[in-house]
Amino acid sequence: MNLLKWSKRPTRGVSAKQPEINILRGLVARATTPLLPDDYLHLINPLWSARELRGRVVDVVSETSDTATVTIRTGWGFPDSYKPGQYVGIGIQIDGRWHWRSYSLTSIGASEDKVISITVKANPDGFLSTHLVDGLEPGTIIRLQSPRGDFHLPEPVPERILFVTAGSGITPVIAMLRQLRSHGQTPDVVHIHSAPTRGDVIFLDEMESLAGAVDHYQLSLQFTHEVGRFDAARLDEWVPDWRERECWACGPIAMLDDMEAHYENGGLRDRLHIERFTIARTDHGGEGGTVTFSTSGKSAELDGATTLLEAGEDLGIQMPFGCRMGICQTCVVPLAGGFVRDLRTGEERREGERIQTCISSVSGECTLDL
Ligand SMILES: Cc1cc2nc3c(=O)[nH]c(=O)nc-3n(C[C@H](O)[C@H](O)[C@H](O)COP(=O)(O)OP(=O)(O)OC[C@H]3O[C@@H](n4cnc5c(N)ncnc54)[C@H](O)[C@@H]3O)c2cc1C
Ligand code: FES
């Protein structure tokens, strides 16, 4: 009985929905040496791994001049269902190093061929997004994390909804719209979406055809090159009943801060659900210094902008993480010694405090029990 339980137990981050499918993996992975079985599985099929979730890039299809949808066939253990609006961790190997980022799923789950999609906007100053949009070859094997996040529609779906999105912030919301349509649900939806120009609107045809086909979805496109940026103070004018609507907003930091302040001032903060793709970093990074990972017996010299999460990963340490943006708390660990600086606020944290490795850098020296 214990052997059965042990062999069914999923490996970390792997769906436990059908534990039976874990038996083979569990036995192969656990019963012999820890390294070899996975290598054998990998030889048979690169998507079979007992240790981690994997996917294979099916195709990369351009949406706008700087955006593409990446379709991925998921391997063993990836959950069959997730909530539209949730995001997934994607790990890509470039020059021998794994780089991880989070992307909202634009697919809505439970496809028979186990295919998911994400839609990525190339950030010209960024490292991975340009590679995903311009350089990712179909067939590439990537690593995945299970879908997660609280940014999704509740059940039952509210009768009146407001979506406020801008740029690539449309991605979790297009998944919600696809979910509503596929379930035949028809809440009254008002959607304000901003983009610099019409040509920059991701999923333009899909949103416009939905708005043309049904009365319960009202789309308002705002082209910021013509009318300026979204201003939450004008909600009264654009959506007179916004106070009665449950709102989901996703877009640039300034837009979300504006929305948050507006709802806060109106005493309606609990009606607003926000997904942030990025954090505002303070100019006052850490001083840099030495980080020691005591359990692994490794250390590194860091500049003040490199996060402890990145440093650990560079050293090959299995670091816990989720959003990598200071949102989900998955990366929280106690600071075993020394000082770190929070890159969002510039605040220093000391030994004994719990810190988020994804938004902390070393300040002088620090030790983590990892
Ligand atoms: C929950 C969630 C969902 C997301 N969903 C999507 C999505 O659906 N589509 C999408 O396109 N993106 C999404 N993102 C954003 C995505 O994860 C990446 O952050 C984005 O693609 C940029 O990655 P990059 O590697 O190109 O940029 P990075 O190399 O990570 O850099 C991003 C920006 O930060 C700046 N930066 C980097 N390092 C530093 C530093 N040390 N100090 C100061 N500034 C620095 C860069 O100049 C750049 O402007 C999501 C993020 C989260 C958290
Ligand atoms: S990984 Fe989500 S808060 Fe650090």
Side-chain angles (χ1 to χ4, degrees):
M1 180 62 187
N2 280 344
L3 177 67
L4 190 63
K5 259 193 191 165
W6 168 77
S7 61
K8 279 185 180 179
R9 199 178 60 219
T11 47
R12 212 161 70 111
V14 169
S15 167
K17 257 190 156 178
Q18 287 175 283
E20 309 75 42
I21 65 165
N22 285 306
I23 294 180
L24 176 62
R25 278 185 297 173
L27 287 175
V28 175
R30 293 185 175 100
T32 59
T33 64
L35 282 178
L36 284 175
D38 222 48
D39 297 341
Y40 288 136
L41 291 171
H42 198 167
L43 282 177
I44 303 166
N45 182 338
L47 294 186
W48 291 356
S49 168
R51 283 204 303 265
E52 64 196 20
L53 297 176
R54 290 190 183 153
R56 186 203 303 268
V57 175
V58 177
D59 59 19
V60 181
V61 175
S62 190
E63 297 282 354
T64 66
S65 60
D66 60 357
T67 316
T69 292
V70 181
T71 308
I72 299 155
R73 174 153 298 118
T74 57
W76 251 353
F78 193 86
D80 285 336
S81 64
Y82 45 86
K83 298 192 167 106
Q86 289 192 304
Y87 63 90
V88 70
I90 305 272
I92 312 267
Q93 195 174 33
I94 300 174
D95 296 335
R97 206 194 126 190
W98 287 93
H99 300 265
W100 285 91
R101 298 289 185 275
S102 305
Y103 290 97
S104 302
L105 286 153
T106 45
S107 49
I108 56 174
S111 93
E112 269 181 20
D113 49 2
K114 292 186 158 287
V115 162
I116 57 169
S117 66
I118 56 169
T119 302
V120 182
K121 182 177 163 64
N123 177 340
D125 303 325
F127 178 75
L128 205 68
S129 56
T130 38
H131 179 78
L132 283 168
V133 172
D134 298 329
L136 197 59
E137 289 292 329
T140 306
I141 298 295
I142 62 171
R143 289 182 177 170
L144 295 168
Q145 273 203 318
S146 290
R148 61 183 73 201
D150 303 328
F151 193 75
H152 55 77
L153 294 172
E155 219 28 90
V157 168
E159 281 173 21
R160 280 193 279 178
I161 293 175
L162 171 62
F163 291 137
V164 177
T165 55
S168 57
I170 182 61
T171 52
V173 165
I174 200 76
M176 294 181 197
L177 288 169
R178 288 171 177 172
Q179 174 195 23
L180 291 173
R181 197 174 42 180
S182 94
H183 290 187
Q185 289 166 308
T186 56
D188 177 342
V189 177
V190 174
H191 185 180
I192 302 176
H193 179 71
S194 307
T197 67
R198 195 174 160 79
D200 296 307
V201 178
I202 312 167
F203 309 122
L204 175 68
D205 291 349
E206 184 175 347
M207 290 191 291
E208 285 195 331
S209 75
L210 182 62
V214 297
D215 291 336
H216 58 264
Y217 174 64
Q218 280 177 59
L219 175 66
S220 166
L221 293 174
Q222 313 242 335
F223 304 125
T224 55
H225 281 185
E226 293 165 25
V227 299
R229 292 205 171 150
F230 172 85
D231 177 2
R234 295 185 63 190
L235 273 180
D236 274 327
E237 187 187 319
W238 292 324
V239 194
D241 65 350
W242 66 272
R243 290 178 185 77
E244 281 92 59
R245 290 175 181 271
E246 199 82 9
C247 178
W248 279 263
C250 184
I253 296 174
M255 184 192 97
L256 297 180
D257 287 349
D258 181 29
M259 284 290 282
E260 206 165 15
H262 195 64
Y263 273 73
E264 199 89 58
N265 291 340
L268 294 165
R269 183 60 188 84
D270 56 347
R271 296 224 129 193
L272 175 65
H273 311 269
I274 281 182
E275 184 77 307
R276 289 181 186 274
F277 282 0
T278 186
I279 48 163
R281 288 179 179 230
T282 158
D283 290 339
H284 316 290
E287 289 72 20
T290 312
V291 55
T292 303
F293 296 91
S294 57
T295 311
S296 321
K298 293 179 177 171
S299 61
E301 286 298 318
L302 305 183
D303 61 29
T306 305
T307 65
L308 300 175
L309 173 60
E310 291 162 342
E313 287 176 340
D314 281 352
L315 291 169
I317 298 167
Q318 274 233 334
M319 303 287 291
F321 70 88
C323 66
R324 308 179 73 92
M325 289 287 164
I327 304 160
C328 72
Q329 308 290 325
T330 310
C331 65
V332 170
V333 292
L335 183 56
F339 298 90
V340 304
R341 201 171 288 281
D342 186 318
L343 291 168
R344 296 167 305 181
T345 60
E347 278 169 39
E348 197 167 67
R349 309 217 180 277
R350 58 189 60 228
E351 182 176 334
E353 289 189 62
R354 292 178 68 74
I355 59 153
Q356 291 162 280
T357 61
C358 71
I359 43 90
S360 301
S361 69
V362 59
S363 192
E365 58 178 13
C366 74
T367 304
L368 303 179
D369 287 338
L370 286 167

